[in-house]
Amino acid sequence: MTSLIAGPAGREGRPFGTVLAAMVTPFTSAGEVDLGATAALAVRLASQGNDGLVLNGTTGESPTTSDAEKVAIIRTVVEAVGDRITIVAGVGTYDTAHSVRLAKEAQKAGAHGTLVVTPYYSRPQQEGLLAHFAAVADATDLPVMLYDIPPRSIVAIAPETLLRLAEHPRITAVKDAKGDFLAGSQVIANSDLAYYAGDDPLTLPWMSIGAVGVVSIISHVVGPHVRALVNAAEAGDYARARTIHEALLPAHLAMSRTGGGAGLVFAKTALRLAGFEVGDPRLPQIPATHDQTAQIARDLEEIGNLT
């Protein structure tokens, strides 16, 4: 399979770039999507080491934003930075027909690619996963990044299934939040699928076995550090990459402060601490408490400048 090139940041073997922020969705104080802040945040992230953005994912609060809001977010970000970096739209749901509709709308809105998560809750068989992902990939001309995250979806995408999906001309990448390095190594060695770390703390180990980058939450506030880590690993300078990885440990710890895998709460809190207001999350997620915010601030203060 030949990898497609998606958007201005894409290049052969790295179809979506190498550092993609899983972007939060800014809300007003009234809880409405703030499109002005959305555009400004996209510009900010594009200037701080990210060469791609993933919109309408878990960190973007996709479970609580409407289809119309999702489309408006894509259009806003494409207009703001789509000529500079790759824009990937999250379109996966547990309903194949709904996912197909979202993919078509994402293409109309100008997205450069789609992120399709394993159907959650319904727990399909592997043949069901094949049919689901193929249906979404067939719905548009956009390259697809599969999102393998069994902690949320229960069902993992088996290596054999990933190898079969790699035969599809538009399925070009995997965002891995499974952390199975043996399974990932099998797929990397036997396909052209580009692997992206889906958990920030595992960026370096994933790149050491052939991944091309990361879909990152911490790059909302330490983008230059994440960029430097990925560049060092890509260049084979693992001594420098490990130094940066260790420097980022406080950020990984900070992201755990709000529990429940709520990286979006960390990201919104960290942006607020950095002076960029993106509003509170929608329920059932809740803002960081005063104590959590203070601890996140202390964690982030431990991260020094790049040398």
Side-chain angles (χ1 to χ4, degrees):
M1 184 188 73
T2 301
S3 294
L4 302 181
I5 304 302
R11 57 191 186 275
E12 187 175 358
R14 293 153 181 78
F16 301 98
T18 56
V19 178
L20 292 82
M23 191 173 121
V24 300
T25 296
F27 296 130
T28 67
S29 59
E32 302 297 323
V33 174
D34 187 335
L35 294 178
T38 297
L41 178 59
V43 170
R44 176 187 176 97
L45 294 175
S47 69
Q48 295 184 349
N50 297 282
D51 59 1
L53 298 175
V54 175
L55 312 177
N56 301 327
T58 306
T59 309
E61 300 185 63
S62 60
T64 60
T65 52
S66 69
D67 290 1
E69 288 173 328
K70 290 178 172 66
V71 169
I73 290 164
I74 297 168
R75 286 177 176 158
T76 297
V77 173
V78 168
E79 182 177 347
V81 297
D83 60 336
R84 290 190 278 157
I85 64 176
T86 305
I87 309 302
V88 181
V91 302
T93 72
Y94 53 26
D95 174 358
T96 303
H98 188 196
S99 301
V100 164
R101 291 195 299 272
L102 289 174
K104 290 179 177 178
E105 290 299 321
Q107 182 170 29
K108 291 177 185 177
H112 303 134
T114 60
L115 176 72
V116 187
V117 70
T118 310
Y120 40 90
Y121 188 76
S122 50
R123 301 177 66 177
Q125 300 176 61
Q126 292 298 309
E127 290 294 328
L129 295 183
L130 281 165
H132 173 82
F133 289 127
V136 180
D138 286 340
T140 76
D141 298 324
L142 300 178
V144 173
M145 179 188 293
L146 305 175
Y147 188 9
D148 191 8
I149 182 167
R152 292 185 184 273
S153 68
I154 304 301
V155 175
I157 312 175
E160 298 79 9
T161 303
L162 285 165
L163 291 173
R164 290 173 67 185
L165 289 166
E167 297 172 5
H168 194 290
R170 283 182 294 282
I171 295 177
T172 64
V174 177
K175 176 187 175 185
D176 186 282
K178 182 165 57 182
D180 186 334
F181 295 111
L182 174 58
S185 294
Q186 291 173 316
V187 177
I188 291 169
N190 292 288
S191 77
D192 290 334
L193 289 174
Y195 258 66
Y196 291 82
D199 288 314
D200 274 295
L202 299 185
T203 302
L204 177 55
W206 266 119
M207 292 196 71
S208 75
I209 61 168
V212 301
V214 60
V215 178
S216 175
I217 294 175
I218 65 171
S219 70
H220 279 85
V221 287
V222 287
H225 290 71
V226 179
R227 163 57 56 201
L229 187 157
V230 168
N231 286 353
E234 189 173 38
D237 187 351
Y238 285 100
R240 174 161 172 75
R242 181 177 174 184
T243 296
I244 301 168
H245 167 78
E246 292 174 350
L248 286 172
L249 291 177
H252 303 319
L253 182 60
M255 193 163 56
S256 72
R257 298 294 185 184
T258 52
L264 72 96
V265 179
F266 157 77
K268 286 197 162 184
T269 304
L271 284 168
R272 180 173 288 163
L273 288 167
F276 193 97
E277 182 57 55
V278 289
D280 291 334
R282 287 177 174 172
L283 289 171
Q285 298 290 358
I286 59 174
T289 65
H290 175 78
D291 288 345
Q292 289 169 337
T293 299
Q295 185 59 67
I296 289 170
R298 288 192 290 270
D299 292 333
L300 295 177
E301 286 172 359
E302 293 183 30
I303 301 172
N305 295 324
L306 287 166
T307 58

